[in-house]
Amino acid sequence: MLRPRTLLTGLLGRTTASLLAVAAVASLGLTGCASDDKPVGNANAPLPTEIPAGTKLVVGDQSERLKAVLQFSGELDKLPFKVEFANFVGGPAILEAFRAGAADVATVGDVPPIHALVAGQDVPIVAASQTSASALKLAVAPGKTVTTLADLKGKKIAYAEGTAQQAAVLRALARAGLKPSDVQLVRLQLAEFLDAVRTGQVDIAPLVEPNVTRLLRTQGASLIPDSETTGIYGGLAYLYARRATVTDPAKAAATRALAAAYVRAFQWANTHQDEWARKYYIESQKVSADDAKRIVDSLGTYTFPHLDQQLVDRQQGTIDAIDQAGELPKKVHAADGFDLRFDAVITQAVAESGASFEPKAK
C-alpha cells in the first residue's frame, strides 16, 4: 500500500534546484514531450475507450477531496475499473509519487505541473476546473499589522515551492514592487502553514479553505483585504497523469472515464451544495455548519476550462511569473504539459451534465 508520509519524508529539504538533477536523469529516457510550444497530444486524435477487466488506477488525492466528491456524487461506483486513492499534502509529494511510479493520476493546483516539467517528469494535464480566484487569502499572524501588499516588505512569509501558493506569493510581491530578497521566504510544507502563521513562526501565510476558517478562530489573526490580493491566485485545479498512464491503452481509457467523472462529480457539488458541505466539510473535515457554508460560498461555482490554447497560454503566464522572480532553474513551456486529446471527453461531460465551461477570455 502506498505510504504518502514516506514520500513526504523523502522530499523534505529538497529545493527546485535539486529537481534539475532529477531532470538530467529523467530526460535520458523521456519520450512524448513536445519540442516546441504546441501542446502534446493531437486534440483530434481519439482516446481508447475499452477498459479491460482488472484495470486499476492509483489516484493521488489531497484532503481526500476527489475521493469524497466522486463517492458522494455516485460517480465512484460507476467507474468501470478499480481505483486506489493515496492522500498527499501538496504537489511536491505527488511529484515524488509520479517519479516512483506509485501514482497514475492526481489532482493538484496550477503550479505542480510546472515543477513536474522542470524535473523532466512527463505528466500531462488531462482535465481542469476553475473556482473563485479569491479563494486564497494572505493570512496575517496575531499581533502583526499588515493591510497592504507593500507591508509585506521584511516580513517572514510561508513558502512552498511547487505549489499554487508559491505563485500567489510571487505575484503578490511583484504587485507591490518587491523582490523575493525583500522578504524572508520561509520554506515549509503546506501542512505546516496554518500552525506557522497562527503561532507567529511566520508573519504571513497563503491559505485556502478550510484553513482560512480555522485561522480566523485564532484571536488577533487577520487577512490582507481581498482588494489588495485580487488576481494573485488563479483558482485553477488540474487532473494530470503520467505519460505512461495515458499511452497505455487500458489506463488511458480508464483515465478518460475518470476525467468525465471528475466533471460530473464537481457539477454535482454545484447542484448539491448543502449536501456537499455537510458530508465533506462538516463530517469529514470537522468544521462547523456555518464554516462549511462559508467555505462552499468562497469557492463559488465550479466551471471547466477547455483544454485548448487559451488554457495553455494561461498556464504559461504562471510559468513566466515564477521565472521572472528568479524561482525557476530553467525555462519550461506550458505546452509540454497538456494532452489535448482529453478535451473531447471534457466537452461531452460538460454538455451532458449541465455544467458550464470557463468563459473565454475577451
Side-chain angles (χ1 to χ4, degrees):
M1 182 176 177
L2 188 62
R3 296 185 180 275
R5 291 187 182 275
T6 301
L7 294 172
L8 277 169
T9 300
L11 185 65
L12 288 173
R14 299 184 184 182
T15 65
T16 304
S18 71
L19 293 177
L20 281 178
V22 177
V25 175
S27 63
L28 294 176
L30 191 61
T31 60
C33 277
S35 59
D36 52 27
D37 289 342
K38 294 183 179 179
V40 177
N42 185 337
N44 297 317
L47 281 166
T49 58
E50 184 177 346
I51 305 175
T55 300
K56 182 179 85 168
L57 290 182
V58 179
V59 179
D61 203 356
Q62 298 192 58
S63 300
E64 298 186 326
R65 187 165 168 269
L66 181 57
K67 178 182 179 180
V69 76
L70 289 170
Q71 180 181 343
F72 299 148
S73 66
E75 292 294 332
L76 184 59
D77 290 338
K78 298 176 186 176
L79 290 174
F81 56 90
K82 183 179 179 181
V83 182
E84 178 182 330
F85 289 94
N87 204 46
F88 298 91
V89 179
I94 291 173
L95 179 58
E96 287 287 293
F98 278 141
R99 283 185 56 211
D104 295 304
V105 185
T107 180
V108 288
D110 57 352
V111 174
I114 297 170
H115 285 260
L117 290 172
V118 171
Q121 295 297 296
D122 195 7
V123 282
I125 292 161
V126 299
S129 62
Q130 175 74 48
T131 55
S132 172
S134 63
L136 181 141
K137 312 290 185 183
L138 291 185
V140 182
K144 298 292 181 178
T145 301
V146 181
T147 58
T148 70
L149 294 183
D151 295 335
L152 294 176
K153 186 172 183 178
K155 299 297 188 294
K156 293 183 292 184
I157 304 176
Y159 191 73
E161 292 175 333
T163 68
Q165 286 82 348
Q166 177 191 22
V169 167
L170 295 177
R171 287 193 181 106
L173 295 177
R175 180 177 297 178
L178 300 173
K179 302 184 294 295
S181 59
D182 292 324
V183 300
Q184 298 178 57
L185 297 177
V186 181
R187 285 166 167 79
L188 299 170
Q189 301 271 334
L190 281 182
E192 299 170 324
F193 276 24
L194 175 60
D195 283 342
V197 70
R198 65 184 176 186
T199 60
Q201 297 173 56
V202 297
D203 303 314
I204 305 292
L207 300 180
V208 294
E209 295 290 9
N211 283 339
V212 173
T213 292
R214 289 168 177 159
L215 171 89
L216 294 176
R217 295 175 183 151
T218 303
Q219 186 174 2
S222 61
L223 303 174
I224 295 178
D226 287 350
S227 58
E228 284 285 309
T229 59
T230 298
I232 68 168
Y233 175 65
L236 270 175
Y238 289 133
L239 193 68
Y240 67 160
R242 290 190 301 126
R243 179 67 59 187
T245 297
V246 297
T247 54
D248 175 90
K251 288 195 172 187
T255 303
R256 177 183 181 277
L258 180 64
Y262 172 91
V263 171
R264 292 192 298 265
F266 281 108
Q267 174 60 8
W268 173 88
N270 283 338
T271 58
H272 296 75
Q273 289 189 351
D274 290 345
E275 186 176 354
W276 173 234
R278 175 174 57 81
K279 288 185 173 180
Y280 179 64
Y281 289 106
I282 298 173
E283 296 176 5
S284 175
Q285 297 298 301
K286 308 302 181 185
V287 304
S288 70
D290 287 344
D291 288 345
K293 184 179 187 309
R294 183 172 178 271
I295 292 168
V296 170
D297 289 347
S298 77
L299 294 172
T301 300
Y302 292 92
T303 57
F304 304 92
H306 278 289
L307 299 186
D308 60 8
Q309 191 62 47
Q310 176 173 300
L311 187 59
V312 172
D313 291 345
R314 210 176 144 191
Q315 185 73 351
Q316 188 64 49
T318 302
I319 291 173
D320 294 343
I322 299 172
D323 187 42
Q324 288 165 11
E327 292 292 304
L328 277 188
K330 71 173 185 177
K331 186 70 173 180
V332 294
H333 301 282
D336 292 341
F338 286 83
D339 190 331
L340 300 189
R341 294 178 301 163
F342 285 84
D343 184 58
V345 69
I346 299 303
T347 300
Q348 181 179 354
V350 169
E352 291 179 352
S353 67
S356 298
F357 291 110
E358 177 65 9
K360 290 286 186 180
K362 295 182 180 179

